[in-house]
Amino acid sequence: MGGISQWEQLNIELTAALGSSVHFDTAHQAVYASEASNYRQIPIGVVTPRNTEEFVKGIEICHRNKAPVLMRGAGTSMNGQTVNNAVVFDISKYCNHILSLDPAAGAAIVEPGVICDSLRDAAELHGLTFAPDPSTHSRCTLGGMVANNSCGAHSVMAGKTLENTEALEILTYDGERFWVGPTSDNELEKIIAAGGRKGQIYQDLLNLRNRYADLIRAKFPNIKRRVSGYNLDQLLPENGFNVARALVGTEGTCALTLAAKVRLVKSPAKRVVLVLGFEDIYVAGDAVPEYQAFNPIAIEGLDYKIIRGLQARNLAKAEIDLLPQGNAWVVVEFGDDTIEGAIAQAEKAEQYFKTRTKGPQPSTWLVSDSQLQKRIWSIRENGASATHLSIDPNSPDPVVGWEDAAVDPTRLGEYLRAFQALVDSYGYETSLYGHFGDGCIHARITFNLRTAEGVATFRSFIRDAAVLVVEFGGSLTGEHGDGQARAEFLPIMFGEELMEAMHEFKRIWDPQNKLNPGKIVHPYRVDENLRMGPEYKVVNIKTRLNFLSQEGDGFQRAVERCVGMGKCRSEKLGTMCPSYRATKEERFSTRGRSRLFWEMLQGEVITDGWESKELKDALDTCLSCKGCKSDCPAHVDMASYKAEFLSHYHEKNSRPRQALTMGRISDWAPLASKMSWLVNGVMQTPILSTIAKWVGGVAQERSLPKFANQSFRSQFKKASSDVGQKKVILWVDTFCEHFHPEVANAAVEVLGHAGFEATLPKTPLCCGRPLYDFGYLDLAKQKLEKILDAIGDQINAGDGAPIAVVGLEPGCMSVFKDELLKFFPNDPRAQLLSERTYLLGDFLHDHGYKPPPLDRNILVHSHCHQKSLFGTKGDVALLNALGAKANFIDSGCCGMAGSFGFNPEHVEISKAVGELVLLPAIRSANEDTIILTNGFSCREQIEQETGRKVKHLAEILQMAHQAQ
């Protein structure tokens, strides 16, 4: 019998010490094999330490077993730093506390898992901020920023992470733990004299500094965004022998960060943006010294290619329409204590450019409204990810690869012209955008990585691009780090002698080469470990839903939408991703599930295809909220992927009991409704209710919804039509029909006041929404076919025909906007029905309805599907027209999500999601505040968890009319 392997032994020892923090399963390997780069490396295992001491203990065990280690935060790196064949320590889940914040000193001490925005929000309470803010600021961690020397738009104001790091508590691979920072000559002497591992490190660093000081001064580029290589210049006497800053940007290859003391700077209380439109990106780049002359806090550039890409995909139209005329735009931000001061700065710059004599006069737009500013910044932050899949079948997808080189900002225009010429010479296409104030340029280039010839050309281009940027005195990377994407070509920038100094620096800290090996020094080749290289399998897989889009056809192409930027890990704003927000579990994020699907299709790590337990477990926690469909820049549609997966999974695996009780509720509810007194009696009687819940697969903690005494259809009386009154089909879903007919009755009344006659289909119909949660796609399609046959030809069919379908339940109406078209992409009836489907608020607003006044405080929670597929414009307009004091809370998902929250296995997550924002907001509302939500499951979550009664928009409008 053979013994256990080295890594099996490691797993045993780690699990014995750290318990459930250790994950050596295939699911975690699959999820952590990729990041936001072109690279993929399968980890040995994953550890999510609960605290710093667990982290230290885990490293000790890895050291004892000679296991390589990778410390990881949000995993949004674009150059390969956060994937490796190593034990991955994900510190983002638990090691995420702000240990102290001293406003007077302008400093904070944080654990490495603290999210950038969390620190910035805490600092803003004192009028301070942490200046570096990458576009991933809503989810990137401080530990990752320290490792990467991250920057962002506001590095113009206060520098890179390096300039904002004052001290680090670090851990070496062999277990030494100590604080590092600037070191005086006296301190250095004492540390060396004390001996030990720390003393030896400092002695070796001093020796290295003394040997290479002159060469470092001569060869290190003197630019603000020199991020490539190790920061050996920080060991120079003129920089105070700053060991902390020497370790910033080492990408976890030398030491591991346990805590960081970072600088906080004054945050301008008011901000104003000046948008300048130029004829091309090169002329915009020429003007950098002119922007700088006005001391802005951010200078960001963007060329027309991303804008045209968004337009071709019909994305961000409203935001793009705001831009002034041009083919390239520069966003210049000004800050001040007062809005008047910020505007004055911006106006001074605007006047200069309007009368500019040095070059072309750009178009201008001064933006003082904070919400408009956010919309402008959203183009810059999300545009590249939104256009990363090509819509031209003959063109490769634009990808990262040469993403963030930096040069002297005063030579930016010159560099951009030379770089574009290089791109053109290879026959590639690229977009150009970036941090113009610091001379850092991002590019998404159409590299062909799918063929050996294409990879060879890619490799040649990277070498030539490295030579070009060095000719301009620049840095191979100005923000995203070297990782694997740049490291091989660092000798072009630094020369062999300085590279040897960097190798020595690595050996001083990590002589066994176990910390993130193969990155920065002794690197992998740029063309190794490619995630979608020549070995990438193209899989044609049969699906029930249609996944055709502008970017291509098929399920695999849909899965490729996820670029890995991890916006689904954001902890606030928007809806995506509720299961991640509640659990902080990467597997339960949109990105994590996308990675599992990707690995399922490749078949290397996930080998069971549609029967994958790893995917089933991850999808079980997906609430199918559709938040990712709208919030994700790449529009990943996890709800559809989940429904498709379950339809195949349950071909060979039985469905849970809940599939019959909740999934097929529309089949049995009409019968139960006729015996509502009996059914309600059973559901409300303690012992019988317990049995009923067990039989139905419902959590005992939940209350079962109560059937109405009469269904809506049994109460409905067709109104006599006024001459010329237009008709609509009122879509009365299962829940309004059998549980809350008062909502449908209110809708009929309000539609009448608005001049419309509500009609019903001749026979009861169901959209089938609950079926998708259990993979009943064949049955769902049958229900939609029945709908098309019944009403598909009625809409706009001539005089007297209904002009629209108006619905009340967002979850049900979303079927007509989404799944209907996935089942029947070529059926004109489906297209018409989808186009003419409205939620009540949108329909009334679009048709000029003006409600009577209602002076009430209203707290509004919008249904996830409404936010994703319809938006809230109609509801907002109507509540404003009422004169009500409406507060739309940014509450994300309620957590109930149809049948999800009734499932015994999901109750904990369901309640945790609700407690993130929604439920505390409801409890804190005054008793006379009306709680408004249009979703049945949202209503159930709120009423069951807070005891507050909820109103639908239709009922509030009805109240206004009845108050007349």
Side-chain angles (χ1 to χ4, degrees):
M1 296 177 63
I4 62 174
S5 72
Q6 178 186 3
W7 303 143
E8 288 172 332
Q9 178 62 36
L10 173 64
N11 184 15
I12 291 171
E13 292 186 29
L14 283 170
T15 302
L18 307 182
S20 60
S21 298
V22 181
H23 314 278
F24 274 50
D25 55 280
T26 54
H28 281 82
Q29 288 178 320
V31 165
Y32 285 84
S34 300
E35 50 175 12
S37 74
N38 295 325
Y39 301 102
R40 169 181 173 268
Q41 291 178 275
I42 302 169
I44 295 168
V46 176
V47 180
T48 53
R50 293 182 184 85
N51 51 52
T52 299
E53 299 312 313
E54 272 204 0
F55 179 41
V56 172
K57 183 65 176 178
I59 299 300
E60 175 193 329
I61 295 169
C62 287
H63 175 254
R64 188 164 66 237
N65 285 273
K66 298 180 173 58
V69 164
L70 166 62
M71 185 177 181
R72 174 163 158 156
T76 56
S77 294
M78 303 175 77
N79 286 337
Q81 302 95 306
T82 59
V83 292
N84 216 324
N85 303 128
V87 179
V88 174
F89 282 80
D90 180 351
I91 47 78
S92 65
K93 185 173 183 179
Y94 297 111
C95 301
N96 52 18
H97 301 95
I98 299 174
L99 302 176
S100 69
L101 197 157
D102 186 343
I109 298 176
V110 299
E111 290 184 326
V114 169
I115 292 172
C116 179
D117 271 1
S118 297
L119 175 59
R120 287 160 59 85
D121 289 346
E124 285 288 352
L125 298 176
H126 307 281
L128 302 171
T129 190
F130 183 66
D133 58 340
S135 60
T136 55
H137 53 82
S138 66
R139 59 270 192 198
C140 68
T141 64
L142 266 294
M145 294 179 72
V146 167
N148 225 40
N149 196 7
S150 298
C151 306
H154 291 94
S155 63
V156 168
M157 179 172 72
K160 308 181 294 297
T161 298
L162 181 143
E163 286 84 16
N164 292 278
T165 299
E166 296 190 356
L168 297 174
E169 185 186 13
I170 58 98
L171 177 72
T172 63
Y173 181 68
D174 52 8
E176 289 293 317
R177 178 178 178 178
F178 50 92
W179 279 89
V180 296
T183 318
S184 67
D185 291 344
N186 185 47
E187 289 172 318
L188 182 57
E189 185 178 334
K190 288 182 179 179
I191 292 170
I192 293 173
R197 177 78 166 105
K198 179 180 178 182
Q200 187 62 56
I201 288 173
Y202 274 72
Q203 178 68 71
D204 292 345
L205 291 176
L206 177 62
N207 294 341
L208 181 148
R209 190 276 305 276
N210 290 340
R211 287 200 312 277
Y212 289 100
D214 290 342
L215 189 62
I216 292 169
R217 293 187 183 101
K219 294 281 288 184
F220 267 52
N222 185 25
I223 60 172
K224 293 175 69 175
R225 285 293 190 98
R226 199 275 306 149
V227 171
S228 276
Y230 291 143
N231 290 305
L232 303 183
D233 58 324
Q234 293 300 312
L235 299 177
L236 297 175
E238 56 266 36
N239 291 324
F241 202 80
N242 197 320
V243 178
R245 292 185 177 180
L247 286 171
V248 171
T250 54
E251 301 177 9
T253 62
C254 296
L256 305 167
T257 301
L258 302 181
K261 182 180 181 181
V262 296
R263 179 177 66 139
L264 303 176
V265 298
K266 182 178 180 180
S267 176
K270 302 296 180 182
R271 304 187 184 209
V272 169
V273 159
L274 176 63
V275 186
L276 303 172
F278 290 88
E279 61 189 47
D280 61 48
I281 197 75
Y282 318 113
V283 174
D286 291 333
V288 170
E290 297 169 77
Y291 314 137
Q292 292 174 326
F294 295 95
N295 296 315
I297 60 175
I299 308 170
E300 297 290 294
L302 180 71
D303 79 353
Y304 72 94
K305 291 182 181 176
I306 284 182
I307 298 300
R308 301 295 178 261
L310 290 168
Q311 289 173 325
R313 294 162 175 80
N314 197 31
L315 299 174
K317 182 181 185 302
E319 286 72 25
I320 292 171
D321 287 346
L322 297 171
L323 294 174
Q325 184 176 354
N327 286 314
W329 296 267
V330 177
V331 181
V332 188
E333 186 179 54
F334 297 90
D336 197 89
D337 291 336
T338 66
I339 190 65
E340 293 80 11
I343 290 174
Q345 294 179 51
E347 286 178 339
K348 184 178 179 180
E350 182 180 36
Q351 186 59 34
Y352 168 83
F353 282 102
K354 281 183 174 180
T355 59
R356 184 181 186 223
T357 58
K358 286 186 178 181
Q361 295 173 2
S363 59
T364 67
W365 180 39
L366 195 155
V367 189
S368 58
D369 180 86
S370 61
Q371 293 305 312
L372 282 179
Q373 290 178 42
K374 288 180 181 179
R375 292 170 65 183
I376 294 299
W377 284 119
S378 72
I379 301 175
R380 167 65 183 81
E381 292 185 355
N382 300 324
S385 295
T387 58
H388 80 282
L389 292 184
S390 173
I391 59 176
D392 179 355
N394 298 313
S395 176
D397 296 330
V399 297
V400 298
W402 184 261
E403 235 285 316
D404 61 320
V407 298
D408 183 342
T410 62
R411 301 187 66 187
L412 183 59
E414 182 185 356
Y415 170 72
L416 286 171
R417 291 179 180 89
F419 180 69
Q420 185 65 59
L422 177 65
V423 171
D424 292 343
S425 72
Y426 273 83
Y428 292 139
E429 293 182 5
T430 188
S431 56
L432 297 170
Y433 61 104
H435 312 294
F436 275 30
D438 285 339
C440 179
I441 294 301
H442 298 312
R444 297 290 173 93
I445 304 174
T446 54
F447 297 124
N448 177 9
L449 302 179
R450 300 289 185 89
T451 67
E453 181 183 1
V455 170
T457 304
F458 157 73
R459 178 181 177 79
S460 174
F461 174 87
I462 298 298
R463 177 180 291 278
D464 288 348
V467 171
L468 176 65
V469 79
V470 170
E471 288 175 354
F472 275 83
S475 175
L476 273 59
T477 176
E479 181 164 42
H480 295 151
D482 296 309
Q484 182 174 345
R486 303 284 189 280
E488 183 185 354
F489 299 110
L490 286 178
I492 295 174
M493 177 176 167
F494 291 107
E496 293 298 337
E497 192 174 357
L498 265 183
M499 287 307 302
E500 179 50 41
M502 292 186 187
H503 292 159
E504 184 175 338
F505 185 80
K506 162 78 168 174
R507 286 195 296 272
I508 289 169
W509 292 101
D510 180 28
Q512 297 180 62
N513 191 28
K514 295 297 183 181
L515 294 180
N516 207 9
K519 312 299 162 82
I520 302 185
V521 297
H522 311 298
Y524 293 104
R525 287 166 52 104
V526 70
D527 51 0
E528 286 184 271
N529 304 317
L530 290 173
R531 181 170 176 264
M532 296 175 67
E535 296 180 356
Y536 179 64
K537 297 178 185 176
V538 177
V539 182
N540 294 314
I541 193 164
K542 186 177 180 181
T543 58
R544 290 178 167 88
L545 293 172
N546 186 293
F547 290 95
L548 177 66
S549 69
Q550 279 185 290
E551 291 82 5
D553 194 5
F555 187 72
Q556 184 171 36
R557 189 60 169 162
V559 168
E560 289 173 357
R561 285 185 175 276
C562 180
V563 72
M565 290 307 298
K567 190 177 180 183
C568 47
R569 289 175 57 104
S570 301
E571 295 191 351
K572 61 180 184 178
L573 301 180
T575 301
M576 179 181 70
C577 171
S579 54
Y580 174 78
R581 291 180 180 181
T583 66
K584 302 298 188 293
E585 179 75 41
E586 173 71 13
R587 285 184 305 146
F588 301 157
S589 69
T590 305
R591 181 179 69 176
R593 297 181 181 108
S594 294
R595 294 301 187 228
L596 287 166
F597 272 118
W598 192 95
E599 295 289 351
M600 180 196 87
L601 293 171
Q602 293 305 295
E604 179 185 359
V605 179
I606 305 296
T607 58
D608 297 331
W610 292 121
E611 293 188 67
S612 166
K613 185 179 185 299
E614 297 89 346
L615 261 161
K616 177 63 166 56
D617 290 345
L619 291 170
D620 265 350
T621 61
C622 172
L623 285 79
S624 297
C625 67
K626 295 185 183 286
C628 49
K629 188 176 176 68
S630 58
D631 291 358
C632 172
H635 302 285
V636 171
D637 186 6
M638 192 53 62
S640 294
Y641 306 171
K642 174 183 178 178
E644 185 66 47
F645 174 84
L646 291 176
S647 76
H648 296 277
Y649 179 84
H650 287 304
E651 289 175 354
K652 296 183 179 180
N653 298 275
S654 61
R655 289 182 170 85
R657 296 192 303 276
Q658 197 186 44
L660 294 175
T661 56
M662 293 290 188
R664 302 193 64 168
I665 187 171
S666 66
D667 293 334
W668 60 263
L671 178 61
S673 181
K674 293 177 180 179
M675 300 180 290
S676 60
W677 59 273
L678 176 60
V679 175
N680 290 336
V682 170
M683 290 182 176
Q684 307 306 316
T685 302
I687 296 177
L688 295 179
S689 174
T690 299
I691 296 171
K693 289 176 185 177
W694 181 85
V695 171
V698 175
Q700 294 297 328
E701 303 96 307
R702 292 297 189 185
S703 299
L704 292 167
K706 187 177 180 180
F707 279 88
N709 292 332
Q710 281 186 293
S711 67
F712 169 74
R713 189 173 278 265
S714 67
Q715 304 174 41
F716 178 71
K717 295 180 181 179
K718 186 176 181 297
S720 57
S721 301
D722 293 338
V723 177
Q725 190 176 45
K726 295 181 179 179
K727 296 179 180 179
V728 297
I729 295 174
L730 181 63
W731 190 266
V732 182
D733 55 90
T734 297
F735 309 102
C736 286
E737 175 69 32
H738 299 296
F739 297 93
H740 290 286
E742 70 277 8
V743 172
N745 282 320
V748 172
E749 182 179 332
V750 172
L751 284 166
H753 286 300
F756 296 94
E757 179 191 349
T759 65
L760 301 181
K762 292 180 180 179
T763 58
L765 299 169
C766 178
C767 69
R769 164 55 66 204
L771 298 171
Y772 296 88
D773 294 338
F774 301 95
Y776 282 120
L777 294 191
D778 292 336
L779 185 55
K781 185 176 182 179
Q782 291 172 18
K783 289 185 178 294
L784 289 176
E785 285 177 325
K786 186 176 179 181
I787 291 169
L788 290 177
D789 290 340
I791 67 171
D793 295 324
Q794 292 182 25
I795 303 168
N796 276 357
D799 292 341
I803 64 170
V805 174
V806 178
L808 306 170
E809 165 59 49
C812 292
M813 302 315 291
S814 68
V815 172
F816 298 145
K817 292 291 187 184
D818 190 2
E819 287 86 358
L820 176 67
L821 299 179
K822 287 187 172 77
F823 277 125
F824 306 100
N826 301 313
D827 190 327
R829 298 176 303 166
Q831 190 67 46
L832 179 62
L833 176 55
S834 181
E835 291 173 356
R836 302 302 298 174
T837 290
Y838 294 83
L839 287 176
L840 177 67
D842 293 334
F843 178 81
L844 293 173
H845 173 60
D846 287 357
H847 289 81
Y849 163 73
K850 302 295 182 185
L854 184 69
D855 185 15
R856 294 290 299 273
N857 294 319
I858 302 176
L859 190 64
V860 186
H861 166 71
S862 299
H863 189 285
C864 298
H865 289 198
Q866 179 173 356
K867 288 180 284 192
S868 177
L869 292 163
F870 295 90
T872 59
K873 179 181 177 181
D875 289 10
V876 170
L878 291 180
L879 292 173
N880 286 338
L882 281 171
K885 300 178 184 67
N887 177 16
F888 282 76
I889 49 178
D890 186 13
S891 47
C893 179
C894 72
M896 188 65 86
S899 63
F900 180 89
F902 286 94
N903 188 318
E905 296 178 5
H906 300 159
V907 169
E908 185 177 349
I909 290 180
S910 171
K911 293 185 178 183
V913 170
E915 295 293 349
L916 291 171
V917 176
L918 174 63
L919 299 178
I922 300 294
R923 295 188 191 103
S924 64
N926 292 331
E927 285 298 321
D928 62 348
T929 297
I930 299 173
I931 311 301
L932 165 60
T933 188
N934 294 330
F936 175 78
S937 59
C938 307
R939 175 193 291 259
E940 287 297 314
Q941 179 80 313
I942 292 169
E943 293 188 351
Q944 292 194 26
E945 294 304 307
T946 71
R948 295 292 296 269
K949 292 300 180 183
V950 175
K951 295 290 185 182
H952 188 283
L953 176 65
E955 295 176 285
I956 289 177
L957 296 174
Q958 182 188 48
M959 287 171 58
H961 282 287
Q962 291 179 349
Q964 287 291 94

